[in-house]
Amino acid sequence: MKREILKTFTLLLVVAMTSCSAIYEDGQELASGIQQDITGITVDELNAKIENGEDFLLIDVRQKDEFTNSAITGALNIPRGTLEFTIRNDEFWEEEFLYTPENDQEIIVYCKLGHRGALAALALQQIGFTNVKYLQGGILAWDPNIEKNAPKKSSGGGCGD
């Protein structure tokens, strides 16, 4: 009898635990769904850190061409797609004349609107970094005019564009 109760309880526990995993429609919805797991920082808070000369690592996780067009002064570019592979790569940091970040170093990540930044913050936490924040609203919250000043993108195709 006890064994049957234990089996039933264990089965119910397994079903309850596995049924709570969420399915997201797209990356934006996923980024919104992880808000409770990560820490955001506002533009005002970031400005205060910069003005106070606080020690933190600022990482722009946008693509290289986005970073080249506009970036927050002092930021390093590590695109979201390579972040987990680059963040602990000593050779990358040596080329930047910096030390590889420690697990407890404060890291602030940003992107265009905040979604890639949120996902990047979660990824960094999942690989052991304990003091990670993302810039809420991304670089467009920092400077809403950035897109107006960016050069026009080619339509692609390579046929005289």
Side-chain angles (χ1 to χ4, degrees), residues 3 9-10 12 22 41 47 52 55-56 60 62 76 79 86 89 92 101 105 107 109 133 137-139 144 158:
R3 186 174 227 157
F9 178 73
T10 303
L12 288 173
I41 185 171
N47 277 327
N52 293 333
D55 184 30
F56 63 93
D60 184 325
R62 298 175 301 151
L76 290 169
T86 305
N89 182 330
F92 169 82
Q105 181 172 355
I107 300 173
V109 293
K133 299 173 181 73
I139 198 166

Side-chain angles (χ1 to χ4, degrees), residues 47-114:
N47 277 327
K49 286 181 166 297
I50 292 169
E51 289 171 11
N52 293 333
E54 293 183 33
D55 184 30
F56 63 93
L57 181 59
L58 185 60
I59 300 176
D60 184 325
V61 296
R62 298 175 301 151
Q63 295 300 316
K64 188 157 192 76
D65 63 327
E66 294 175 283
F67 179 77
T68 302
N69 290 334
S70 61
I72 299 172
T73 302
L76 290 169
N77 181 228
I78 307 176
R80 173 68 191 97
T82 62
L83 181 65
E84 294 91 332
F85 302 100
T86 305
I87 195 72
R88 295 201 192 271
N89 182 330
D90 293 331
E91 290 177 20
F92 169 82
W93 294 103
E94 287 173 9
E95 290 173 8
E96 298 294 331
F97 302 102
L98 295 168
Y99 292 108
T100 304
E102 298 290 329
N103 285 346
D104 61 348
Q105 181 172 355
E106 184 175 19
I107 300 173
I108 300 171
V109 293
Y110 73 90
C111 62
K112 180 179 176 181
L113 294 170

Side-chain angles (χ1 to χ4, degrees), residues 27-39:
Q28 186 173 352
E29 188 178 322
L30 172 61
S32 297
I34 63 169
Q35 298 299 316
Q36 70 278 1
D37 299 326
I38 55 176
T39 303

